[in-house]
Amino acid sequence: VAPALEHLSFPQAAGAYLAAGLMITLLGVTGWVRKLMVCLPMPIVLGMVSGVFLPFGLKIITGFQDSFWIASAIVGSYLLASAVPALGRVVPPVLAALLAGIAAVAMGGTGLPTGLIPFALVQPQLVVPVFSVRALLELALPLVVTVVGIHNPQGIAVLTASKYKPPVSALTVACGLGSVLA
């Protein structure tokens, strides 16, 4: 998105987002996405999910290099809450890790703001979308492919692997309408 904004106007980007939302909605309403999902091999889609989360898992290593005590508190609390079922029922492991990380940062003083954080309400501005072929090809089409071909299949694959039967078309319509509204 950022490179497109270097040569497209903000109204053109707004038009591209609106067009992408309408295309995604249309794909969901017609049921084409559901038909596409049947054709995608589950192992490949789950491999895509793994590829998305791999960088987050690898950052644990650099976290220990950057701030050993904070990383130790986070990983240690996660492992403790996972290893002790009674504790994990009261405080889920991810929440335990988050709370330990916040406490470690607060006690260590690193990463905390050094001054006052300015607060102001943003004034909404009306943007009238402008539709251009260039914006549709450069921005709208890749956004549709990203949502319909990458992000949604990953979520649907995770739900399917967990024995759920997600309403693929309804989820796609919701994504499309949400994009239009945004």
Side-chain angles (χ1 to χ4, degrees), residues 22-87:
L22 291 172
M23 285 188 266
I24 292 167
T25 303
L26 180 66
L27 290 170
V29 168
T30 60
W32 290 348
V33 172
R34 185 176 18 82
K35 293 174 185 168
L36 173 69
M37 284 299 301
V38 172
C39 297
L40 292 174
M42 187 68 68
I44 290 177
V45 178
L46 289 175
M48 291 167 40
V49 173
S50 299
V52 168
F53 287 112
L54 180 64
F56 296 106
L58 294 177
K59 286 197 185 267
I60 292 172
I61 297 165
T62 59
F64 279 101
Q65 293 172 342
D66 296 341
S67 185
F68 179 80
W69 296 111
I70 295 172
S72 296
I74 292 169
V75 172
S77 64
Y78 179 87
L79 293 174
L80 179 65
S82 297
V84 181
L87 178 61

Side-chain angles (χ1 to χ4, degrees), residues 42-155:
M42 187 68 68
I44 290 177
V45 178
L46 289 175
M48 291 167 40
V49 173
S50 299
V52 168
F53 287 112
L54 180 64
F56 296 106
L58 294 177
K59 286 197 185 267
I60 292 172
I61 297 165
T62 59
F64 279 101
Q65 293 172 342
D66 296 341
S67 185
F68 179 80
W69 296 111
I70 295 172
S72 296
I74 292 169
V75 172
S77 64
Y78 179 87
L79 293 174
L80 179 65
S82 297
V84 181
L87 178 61
R89 281 190 291 277
V90 176
V91 182
V94 173
L95 180 59
L98 175 65
L99 295 174
I102 291 171
V105 168
M107 289 190 314
T110 56
L112 296 174
T114 55
L116 291 176
I117 300 173
F119 177 79
L121 293 175
V122 175
Q123 296 295 325
Q125 294 179 337
L126 179 64
V127 175
V128 179
V130 172
F131 299 97
S132 71
V133 174
R134 184 176 187 179
L136 292 175
L137 293 175
E138 271 186 59
L139 199 52
L141 198 55
L143 287 170
V144 171
V145 169
T146 301
V147 170
V148 173
I150 299 172
H151 294 294
N152 283 8
Q154 292 177 13

